[in-house]
Amino acid sequence: ITAALKAGGYIRSFDAKKRRKLSSQVYKKGYEARITCSSLRSAKETIKTLKQLGISAGKPFEKGSSTMVPIYGKEQVETLAGMMPKKK
């Protein structure tokens, strides 16, 4: 999972300062992670692995030539982020 995130996925955290500045009607971004997979089959395997780790994923979708597996919610994203090795 961590290798997949490093290969082309990303984690987005909620920005409280921006939310206060722009209001909830303008700034609607929340916690989200996306894992890039090469195919729908690979995405299904990723979802299965995430489930074993206690993380539920959203419905996979195509973006360009890749299939993305989204993870939504503060707890889910923070759990996933906690698995990532610390940057040096």
Side-chain angles (χ1 to χ4, degrees):
I1 297 298
T2 56
L5 271 171
K6 283 183 179 180
Y10 70 86
I11 295 176
R12 179 182 68 208
S13 296
F14 176 75
D15 187 343
K17 286 182 183 179
K18 197 169 188 177
R19 179 69 163 273
R20 282 192 298 273
K21 182 179 177 183
L22 298 175
S23 83
S24 62
Q25 294 300 314
V26 176
Y27 181 75
K28 298 183 180 194
K29 294 179 176 17
Y31 292 86
E32 178 184 9
R34 290 184 181 179
I35 298 174
T36 305
C37 299
S38 58
S39 65
L40 184 57
R41 181 182 205 154
S42 173
K44 288 180 180 181
E45 290 174 16
T46 300
I47 291 169
K48 185 177 179 180
T49 303
L50 287 168
K51 192 172 188 176
Q52 291 172 347
L53 296 170
I55 298 171
S56 60
K59 182 179 177 184
F61 61 92
E62 290 186 15
K63 184 172 182 180
S65 62
S66 299
T67 302
M68 306 299 286
V69 176
I71 296 103
Y72 301 110
K74 182 179 180 178
E75 287 182 29
Q76 303 280 2
V77 172
E78 287 179 347
T79 299
L80 189 61
M83 294 177 191
M84 296 295 293
K86 303 295 178 196
K87 291 183 180 180
K88 293 179 182 180

